[in-house]
Amino acid sequence: AIPDRLINQNIKHRKARHSNVLNAVANGTSNLEAIAVEAYADTPDAHPGLAVDQTLSHLMALEAEGSVMQSNGTWSVAE
């Protein structure tokens, strides 16, 4: 039961972070580092490099699903 609970907590956390990244872009934040700062606002002690790397992973997943797009290092909501 404990492993299932931990896995479910991790999935819930990842989905929430995914939403935070999308919301940051939807709010007009367009550069990777600024999106990371906004998406990780609830985790101010997160390692900045890790936050940026994980944010990029979320952005790439969001881009693959057609939710966001990137042009010349600027991210925006896909139309």
Side-chain angles (χ1 to χ4, degrees):
I2 291 175
D4 289 341
R5 185 178 53 136
L6 293 174
I7 290 170
N8 289 334
Q9 286 175 342
N10 191 27
I11 291 169
K12 183 179 175 183
H13 170 77
R14 294 285 296 170
K15 286 181 178 181
R17 187 73 68 208
H18 202 66
S19 292
N20 289 351
V21 170
L22 179 57
N23 289 338
V25 176
N27 290 337
T29 308
S30 61
N31 120 336
L32 175 59
E33 289 78 13
I35 295 167
V37 168
E38 189 170 333
Y40 279 79
D42 64 334
T43 316
D45 294 333
H47 186 281
L50 178 63
V52 169
D53 287 347
Q54 290 300 304
T55 298
L56 181 57
S57 294
H58 284 289
L59 287 167
M60 292 171 69
L62 288 164
E63 184 177 38
E65 68 187 38
S67 298
V68 302
M69 58 188 194
Q70 185 259 139
S71 177
N72 297 322
T74 299
W75 293 90
S76 60
V77 173
E79 296 179 19

